[in-house]
Amino acid sequence: MHLVPASDAQKLQLDALTYSEWGRLLTLEGYLSRELRLRAHPWARADMRTWLLCADDGAVLASCETFRTGSFQRAPGGALLPGDSFAIASVFTEERLRGHGHATRLMDLLAAELERQPRAHAALLFSDVGPRLYARSGYRELPAWDWHLAPSPGAPGETVDSLLRESDLGPALDRMRRPELPFFFWPTPTQLDWHLERGRIYVEHLGCSLPQSAGATVGGSTALWGLVGRSAELTVLMFDARSPAEAIALLEAARREAHRAGLSRVVLWEEPGNASLLPLVAGATRIARDGSLPMVRPLRPDVHPPALLPVPRGLWV
């Protein structure tokens, strides 16, 4: 067995095979169009690769995608040293080929390939099949809790200093505090826009509107959000609240934006930095996440992801 990058023709063949797994809400034609559109996004064009596990005769046994994402190590003096990490998505084996360990072999060969990258830090994935499969290849699971809030009527801008537009993603990220940790992941504005592109694709199928804002600021605090996928929800992609009052104000603005767009709820991923604030938000409900279990694997011996590594929703692929 060996690992090879997929050609454009092979990517199209994979799209047809994976429709049954990930094509919910879309026709086959719509799903194929979605995949082409997402691969054409600037972030995917620059940082996405599709990988094939092939038998000795060239037959494809399993496949996956990787997206390069930013990460940082903190030097002993506190300086941040940038590097590359890789988010892994769409791990797929045809049903007739399952049960033979192909996915595990794919993950092992992929890790060896990624370890050879000159700035490699770590690999990150979001498992929908529990931790066992990926633990075989050295991945460690992280906590996975969601917070849900019901939409609320009212003007979203009334509780905050400003509402953000899609063009504000870069300045908004610059406002946010980096984690005070020896290692962490950090997305780019283009990476976050890839999530918003998913919402642009799905909105016509969901019976709702695209949110008019992409986030908000209040005091020193910032949140970024959007309609980002197959559910009519306002998803918080990044959240940096400096106080309980500012956390409440940001999430009230998100609730009002969800109501204005006709969305069913606001969803925020729990992180170490917001875990103590969210129970103070009236009406917020904590729920064990269904799928998208974050798992991380170092790609270098000097990279040590902490046990409570923050993984905001903006890192998901």
Side-chain angles (χ1 to χ4, degrees):
M1 298 181 192
H2 55 282
L3 187 72
V4 298
S7 67
D8 288 342
Q10 288 171 320
K11 293 173 187 176
L12 294 176
Q13 292 170 357
L14 279 175
D15 292 343
L17 289 172
T18 59
Y19 168 69
S20 60
E21 295 284 334
W22 299 306
R24 183 167 61 88
L25 293 185
L26 302 174
T27 63
L28 174 59
E29 181 181 7
Y31 177 73
L32 298 178
S33 174
R34 185 201 84 165
E35 292 300 284
L36 288 173
R37 183 167 167 180
L38 289 176
R39 285 199 290 268
H41 187 273
W43 183 52
R45 286 205 314 269
D47 294 316
M48 175 188 176
R49 297 187 76 180
T50 301
W51 300 91
L52 307 176
L53 176 69
C54 295
D56 293 340
D57 64 0
V60 176
L61 304 174
S63 61
C64 70
E65 299 165 349
T66 58
F67 295 77
R68 184 173 57 189
T69 192
S71 53
F72 292 87
Q73 280 184 291
R74 196 173 293 277
L80 291 176
L81 307 176
D84 294 328
S85 288
F86 300 88
I88 299 170
S90 305
V91 178
F92 177 76
T93 306
E94 288 186 68
E95 189 170 356
R96 64 185 177 86
L97 297 172
R98 293 172 188 171
H100 300 285
H102 296 324
T104 297
R105 184 62 175 154
L106 169 67
M107 300 304 292
D108 291 344
L109 289 176
L110 180 61
E113 173 69 26
L114 298 178
E115 286 170 354
R116 289 192 284 269
Q117 302 304 306
R119 289 169 24 118
H121 277 166
L124 174 69
L125 60 83
F126 299 89
S127 174
D128 290 328
V129 296
R132 180 179 299 180
L133 171 65
Y134 300 110
R136 297 172 191 158
S137 298
Y139 286 83
R140 173 173 57 83
E141 65 182 291
L142 300 168
W145 294 91
D146 292 349
W147 287 81
H148 292 178
L149 297 97
S152 174
E158 284 185 351
T159 67
V160 293
D161 294 337
S162 65
L163 294 175
L164 302 174
R165 302 180 300 276
E166 293 177 7
S167 58
D168 296 322
L169 293 176
L173 274 177
D174 289 342
R175 281 174 50 94
M176 293 185 170
R177 294 171 295 182
R178 274 41 170 187
E180 293 292 333
L181 295 170
F183 171 81
F184 61 91
F185 303 106
W186 198 254
T188 64
T190 309
Q191 185 172 346
L192 296 181
D193 186 76
W194 179 85
H195 289 275
L196 301 183
E197 180 72 358
R198 290 174 56 85
R200 298 173 196 129
I201 293 169
Y202 275 102
V203 65
E204 65 183 273
H205 305 280
L206 293 173
C208 60
S209 302
L210 285 173
Q212 296 179 36
S213 66
T217 66
V218 60
S221 300
T222 308
L224 292 170
W225 56 58
L227 173 70
V228 301
R230 298 175 296 185
S231 298
E233 302 170 340
L234 188 74
T235 300
V236 179
L237 296 170
M238 303 290 291
F239 190 76
D240 175 25
R242 310 294 177 97
S243 71
E246 292 181 357
I248 291 168
L250 288 173
L251 291 174
E252 180 59 26
R255 294 176 64 194
R256 295 182 180 192
E257 184 61 78
H259 185 273
R260 180 165 68 175
L263 303 177
S264 62
R265 63 188 175 192
V266 175
V267 178
L268 171 64
W269 282 15
E270 182 177 293
E271 301 173 54
N274 64 35
S276 65
L277 299 175
L278 298 179
L280 306 176
V281 179
T285 305
R286 188 177 190 244
I287 298 173
R289 190 175 308 150
D290 181 15
S292 296
L293 175 66
M295 303 187 72
V296 62
R297 181 193 191 280
L299 296 172
R300 285 180 11 190
D302 63 332
V303 173
H304 303 288
L308 294 179
L309 178 68
V311 181
R313 179 60 172 74
L315 293 172
W316 177 93
V317 293

